[in-house]
Amino acid sequence: MADRKTDAELIEHNRFAWNRLSDEGILWGIPVADDAVERARNGAWEVQLAGRSPVPHHWFGKDGQIRDRDILCLAAGGGQQAPLLSAAGARVTAMELSDAMLAKDREVARRHDLPLRCEQGSMTDLSRFANDSFDVIFLPVAICYVPDAHQVWQQCARVLRPGGRLLAGMINPLVNLFAENDGTTDAGLEVVHALPFVELETLSSAEREAAFKRRIAFVWSHTLTDLVGGQLSAGFRLLEFSEARRTDDRAPNINKFTNTYIMTAARLG
């Protein structure tokens, strides 16, 4: 198409889109309550990769301990996971594409005097970090907002220490067979997209222009080969696998019948 954007332009577009979503009060941009931070200081911490269930502590390492470990919360802004892990004693770096989402991490950290390092940038470029910088990378559902999952896994492998953990939440790509809906009708169970699904390629030029003006965040479905096989190709070994259902109100009706999120815990080497 003549109006095709580069990957870098689309990622920058998604930055502005997520700034808008953050300002509108999206679920993933609501900072944690003060008492949750205090509980985390006392060892009672819970974080989510996808869905409502907390990530088992042993996913972070065999002993389940995170104190004094270096954790990169990648594409995890919104004042939720990073401040809690910091309050629990980890040395946390929050890297987030959206300025507005990252500002919420900074605000929670300021309010609770947490030593949280905040970096604005895309998960597709971790060049600011040296090799072997982190013990854990915590990546909630966000890889659908970049075009190349393999690039992300390779970057993660470089900045993790040998034996480090990659914890990732992802949308099951099969969900993208269907159109999204608000759950108020029975629509949404008819297959309408071929996979791998690239949202921009389903829109006419006029629809694309309107979507850009509305600052809609564009997604790429990837494949299970990209999402799981890509981790293995980057040198990770899969340790744990889990599923959950979406928690927002813009899920396809398939969410009523089956799990729509997948979560993996993998070890480098």
Side-chain angles (χ1 to χ4, degrees):
M1 295 182 183
D3 57 346
R4 181 177 294 278
K5 302 284 188 179
T6 66
D7 288 350
E9 288 174 322
L10 291 173
I11 290 172
E12 181 68 1
H13 167 86
N14 277 355
R15 178 173 75 86
F16 285 106
W18 271 97
N19 284 346
R20 178 183 64 80
L21 290 168
S22 177
D23 292 342
E24 292 176 353
I26 194 168
L27 176 65
W28 302 286
I30 300 174
V32 294
D34 291 345
D35 60 346
V37 176
E38 293 310 309
R39 288 196 300 272
R41 288 191 196 274
N42 294 318
W45 54 275
E46 291 185 352
V47 290
Q48 288 79 31
L49 274 173
R52 300 187 186 280
S53 298
V55 178
H57 285 194
H58 74 267
W59 278 33
F60 287 82
K62 283 185 177 180
D63 59 5
Q65 298 299 314
I66 61 170
R67 182 169 296 278
D68 296 327
R69 290 186 172 170
D70 294 303
I71 298 179
L72 173 61
C73 284
L74 191 55
Q80 298 181 357
Q81 299 96 341
L84 291 177
L85 294 171
S86 179
R91 291 186 293 267
V92 180
T93 298
M95 184 169 177
E96 165 65 46
L97 181 66
S98 163
D99 319 63
M101 293 285 277
L102 190 63
K104 294 178 178 180
D105 280 347
R106 288 195 179 101
E107 172 55 25
V108 176
R110 183 202 61 78
R111 191 164 66 247
H112 292 277
D113 194 25
L114 298 172
L116 178 63
R117 175 185 176 186
C118 293
E119 297 277 346
Q120 192 277 324
S122 171
M123 72 180 90
T124 59
D125 181 9
L126 304 184
S127 59
R128 70 190 69 188
F129 304 122
N131 294 354
D132 306 337
S133 291
F134 300 101
D135 300 302
V136 177
I137 293 178
F138 189 89
L139 173 57
V141 179
I143 203 164
C144 53
Y145 297 108
V146 299
D148 188 351
H150 292 267
Q151 181 182 11
V152 176
W153 305 139
Q154 293 288 343
Q155 294 268 327
C156 289
R158 183 186 64 78
V159 302
L160 272 175
R161 293 171 182 138
R165 299 288 182 103
L166 170 62
L167 312 184
M170 297 156 280
I171 296 175
N172 188 323
L174 293 180
V175 169
N176 294 290
L177 287 168
F178 309 97
E180 283 199 343
N181 63 87
D182 61 8
T184 59
T185 71
D186 291 332
L189 294 179
E190 179 182 357
V191 174
V192 295
H193 299 137
L195 299 181
F197 170 74
V198 181
E199 187 172 17
L200 281 173
E201 294 180 1
T202 70
L203 304 178
S204 67
S205 294
E207 289 170 331
R208 285 162 59 90
E209 183 178 355
F212 280 118
K213 287 181 178 178
R214 292 199 306 273
R215 296 274 169 86
I216 292 173
F218 293 117
V219 300
W220 290 260
S221 70
H222 306 300
T223 64
L224 288 173
T225 299
D226 296 328
L227 298 177
V228 180
Q231 294 184 45
L232 303 179
S233 296
F236 290 98
R237 182 164 71 87
L238 192 64
L239 300 176
E240 303 269 358
F241 185 93
S242 186
E243 298 174 282
R245 298 199 180 192
R246 288 183 67 165
T247 53
D248 62 315
D249 59 2
R250 292 296 302 172
N253 278 344
I254 191 175
N255 195 58
K256 297 177 182 178
F257 301 103
T258 187
N259 291 314
T260 43
Y261 284 134
I262 59 176
M263 293 162 282
T264 57
R267 188 177 71 190
L268 184 62

